[in-house]
């Protein structure tokens, strides 16, 4: 008896631990959605500022609308298609049945990235403009197989004579389907509905590759928000969780007598959503500018300001990396302005994807710092207007790191005193840049012997220093003081130092990556006047000031930079790193063979 009670107690403890493991992260997320600071790990006080920002952020609210409507329409259509297909399979020959079921399993078993690329190529080949419709079609395509899988087992359990009996009693074939067959499949259909809605609402990978014209769902928006520390993500996630909890409670509380009324109300609401969606997709003949930019790299208020000032509309999309941007561009997606990095601009110039800028239309060109002009990727700035600039350097805790050790430059990252206390930036080119510069080589070397030496340097560092490779999460970790040394972009360093005054930043004397992100105009841009007006707009003092505060990176506009030095970023050296240093370089374009060689070595570094 005692053994039985003890077993029950252990079982209860096990279940409790399991629930804590599942739900504690959600509870922590909800708590930090009320944090007054930007930190995602350090609670500094109660505030509703992130909920206020969430409500006022039009891009997030549009993303919520897109996610909901896509999920609703995809669920309805895929449920109808899946149910009809499942019923039809029950009447098909065995060979046809097995063939269709095997084909139906392909998109279920396929990795999402394969399905995404396939659909992207399909829409591009069919010359279908990417946007809301392509995302909806893609969601229907990957939701329908799951509905078939949910409904078909229920169809097999049906008595084949039920439909015949109903028609013998006077029902038409359609009535027999609706009033007899479908009600018997109700459990399978409901399971398919829930699965389809969840899959659609949650999807990121497929949506990312098939969308365009500024249409983004919640997953895409949240992913782009993670490029910078953005606690609005916590607020959005908390609201979604609360809505799900309320819906679950209502589904249990509402009496059955109200269900028919609720179904009618939901039908009317869905009809209104459909009408609204159709009519909001009808646009006037206003001028339109299509911009493709990195996530969290433009103050949303500036978009609205430009639209009002120039009586136009901006279709704004974001990407997570230059390589993703290039993939979408090559797949047929069309944009007017790209905001991308130096080496990618060089590649686009070589491939004749850009058109020259008429600098006579850039009235504010004289505000640009000459030190941030004429980089090797575009020596005469025929194609590019600098947007943000910076370096890659070392952020360190002044109270822990010995100032004498800073003289070692990049070799600081292999100093045994700081083993286990270092974040490396999880970037192939920047990591190899560090090793090459530490060895005294050019970061743009094509000599495979030198590259192999850099590989050995990185392997030695990883073996002896226990370094952690991190991306944007390094920002919150350094603010919280989890480690004392990190490789960061200067703009991120400035943001981190503003939150933690124990940190400082320096560029090693061996040289570093001096990067420049710039605005360029694609060959497909038809309204070049509007594109150049936007570029000029982004060089105006007030706009540059606001945008630099929002992003936190260094502007190439001299006066704003100087004002920031004594204003928002007073005493923060990382905001204005040393430009034009003797050993600094800008990344150059790599050919396919060199990229493959680097990629192979990088895979080995990460797997070590």
């Amino acid at each position: 008896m005692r053994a039985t009670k003890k077993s029950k107690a252990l079982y209860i403890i096990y279940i409790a631990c399991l629930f804590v493991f599942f739900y504690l992260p959600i509870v922590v997320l909800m708590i930090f959605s009320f944090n007054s600071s930007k930190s995602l790990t350090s609670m500094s006080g109660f505030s509703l500022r992130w909920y206020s920002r969430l409500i006022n952020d039009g891009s997030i609210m549009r993303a919520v609308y897109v996610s909901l409507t896509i999920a609703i329409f995809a669920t309805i259509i895929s449920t109808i298609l899946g149910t009809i297909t499942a019923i039809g399979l029950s009447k098909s020959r065995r060979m046809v049945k097995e063939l269709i079921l095997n084909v139906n399993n392909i998109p279920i078993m396929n990795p999402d990235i394969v399905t995404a690329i396939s659909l992207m190529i399909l829409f591009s080949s069919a010359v279908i403009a990417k946007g809301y419709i392509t995302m909806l079609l893609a969601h229907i395509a990957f939701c329908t197989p799951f509905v078939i899988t949910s409904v078909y087992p229920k169809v097999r359990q049906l008595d084949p004579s039920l439909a015949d009996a109903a028609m013998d009693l006077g029902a038409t074939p359609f009535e027999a389907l609706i009033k007899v067959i479908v009600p018997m499949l109700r459990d399978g259909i409901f399971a398919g509905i829930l699965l389809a809605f969840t899959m659609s609402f949650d999807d990121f990978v497929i949506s990312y590759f098939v969308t365009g014209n500024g249409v983004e769902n919640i997953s895409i928006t949240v992913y782009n928000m993670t490029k910078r520390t953005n606690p609005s993500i916590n607020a959005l996630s908390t609201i979604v969780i609360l809505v799900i909890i309320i819906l679950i409670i209502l589904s249990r509380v509402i009496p059955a007598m109200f269900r028919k009324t609720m179904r009618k109300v939901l039908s009317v609401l869905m009809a209104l959503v459909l009408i609204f969606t159709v009519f909001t997709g009808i646009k006037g003949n206003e001028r339109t500018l299509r911009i493709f930019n990195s996530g969290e790299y433009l103050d949303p208020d500036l978009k609205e300001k430009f639209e009002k000032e120039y009586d136009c509309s901006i279709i704004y999309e974001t990407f997570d990396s230059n390589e993703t941007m290039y993939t979408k561009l090559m797949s047929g997606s069309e944009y007017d302005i790209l905001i991308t990095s130096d080496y990618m601009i060089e590649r686009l110039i070589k491939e004749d994807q850009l058109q020259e800028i008429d600098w006579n239309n850039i009235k504010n060109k004289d505000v640009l710092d000459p030190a941030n002009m004429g980089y090797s990727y575009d020596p005469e700035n025929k194609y590019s207007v600098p947007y943000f600039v910076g370096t890659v350097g070392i952020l360190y805790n002044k109270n822990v790191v010995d100032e004498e050790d800073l003289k070692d430059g990049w070799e600081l990252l292999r100093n045994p005193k700081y083993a286990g206390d270092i974040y490396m930036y999880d970037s192939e080119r920047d990591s190899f840049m560090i090793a090459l510069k530490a060895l005294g080589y050019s970061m743009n070397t094509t000599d495979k012997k030198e590259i192999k030496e850099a590989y050995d340097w990185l392997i030695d560092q990883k073996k002896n220093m226990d370094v952690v490779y991190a991306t944007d999460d390094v920002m919150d970790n350094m603010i919280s003081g989890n480690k004392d040394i990190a490789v960061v972009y200067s703009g991120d360093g400035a943001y981190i130092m503003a939150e933690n005054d124990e940190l400082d930043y320096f560029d090693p004397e061996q040289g570093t990556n001096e990067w420049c992100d710039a605005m360029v105009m694609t060959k497909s841009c038809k309204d070049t006047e509007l594109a150049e007006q936007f570029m000029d707009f982004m060089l105006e003092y007030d706009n540059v000031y606001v945008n630099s505060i929002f992003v936190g990176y260094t502007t190439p506009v001299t006066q704003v930079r100087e004002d920031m030095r004594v204003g928002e970023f007073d005493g923060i050296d990382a905001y204005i790193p040393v430009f034009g240093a003797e050993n600094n370089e800008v990344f150059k374009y790599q050919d396919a063979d060199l990229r493959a060689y680097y990629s192979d070595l990088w895979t080995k570094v990460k797997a070590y």
Side-chain angles (χ1 to χ4, degrees), residues 80-142:
I80 293 171
L81 292 175
T83 302
I84 292 173
T85 303
I87 294 171
L89 285 174
S90 67
K91 303 295 183 181
S92 301
R93 294 179 180 179
R94 182 178 178 182
M95 184 180 295
V96 175
K97 188 187 303 181
E98 289 181 355
L99 176 64
I100 293 176
L101 287 174
N102 286 329
V103 170
N104 186 67
N105 288 332
I106 293 174
I108 296 176
M109 299 174 67
N110 248 354
D112 281 352
I113 187 65
V114 175
T115 303
I117 298 296
S118 303
L119 288 167
M120 180 181 71
I121 294 172
L122 173 65
F123 294 138
S124 298
S125 303
V127 197
I128 300 174
K130 296 184 183 68
Y132 190 92
I133 295 300
T134 53
M135 188 187 289
L136 177 59
L137 291 173
H139 281 230
I140 293 170
F142 73 73

Side-chain angles (χ1 to χ4, degrees), residues 296-342:
E296 295 286 294
Y297 218 37
L298 174 67
D299 189 324
D301 293 339
L302 292 178
K303 288 186 293 181
E304 297 178 11
K305 182 179 178 181
F306 182 80
E307 287 174 329
K308 291 178 182 177
E309 193 170 318
Y310 289 90
D311 191 23
C312 66
S313 64
I314 290 179
I315 295 175
Y316 186 75
E317 291 185 51
T318 55
F319 54 83
D320 64 325
S321 70
N322 290 300
E323 286 65 34
T324 303
M325 178 277 298
Y326 181 81
T327 300
K328 292 200 74 173
L329 190 66
M330 293 300 104
S331 72
S333 298
E334 293 188 347
Y335 305 97
D336 300 316
I337 291 178
L338 307 174
I339 301 176
T340 186
S341 301
D342 33 47

Side-chain angles (χ1 to χ4, degrees), residues 426-483:
D426 193 356
S427 163
E428 175 187 314
R429 294 205 71 175
D430 285 315
S431 294
F432 272 95
M433 177 275 294
I434 291 168
L436 287 165
K437 285 296 185 183
L439 293 166
Y441 300 136
S442 166
M443 69 184 197
N444 290 306
T445 182
T446 58
D447 187 330
K448 291 187 177 180
K449 182 181 177 182
E450 294 178 354
I451 297 170
K452 179 64 168 57
E453 286 185 51
Y455 162 76
D456 293 335
W457 191 97
L458 291 170
I459 290 294
D460 178 73
Q461 182 205 35
K462 196 167 185 182
K463 179 172 65 176
N464 297 318
M465 297 298 295
D466 191 26
V467 297
V468 174
Y469 280 90
T471 52
D472 296 306
D473 54 329
V474 72
M475 297 170 68
D476 204 58
N477 281 304
M478 288 302 289
I479 291 172
S480 302
N482 293 340
K483 292 187 186 298

Side-chain angles (χ1 to χ4, degrees), residues 515-533:
W515 57 266
C516 177
D517 291 344
M519 299 176 280
V520 295
M521 192 161 53
T522 66
K523 282 280 188 179
S524 61
C525 177
K526 296 178 177 61
D527 195 341
T528 57
E529 180 186 7
L530 187 62
E532 288 166 346
Q533 285 172 335

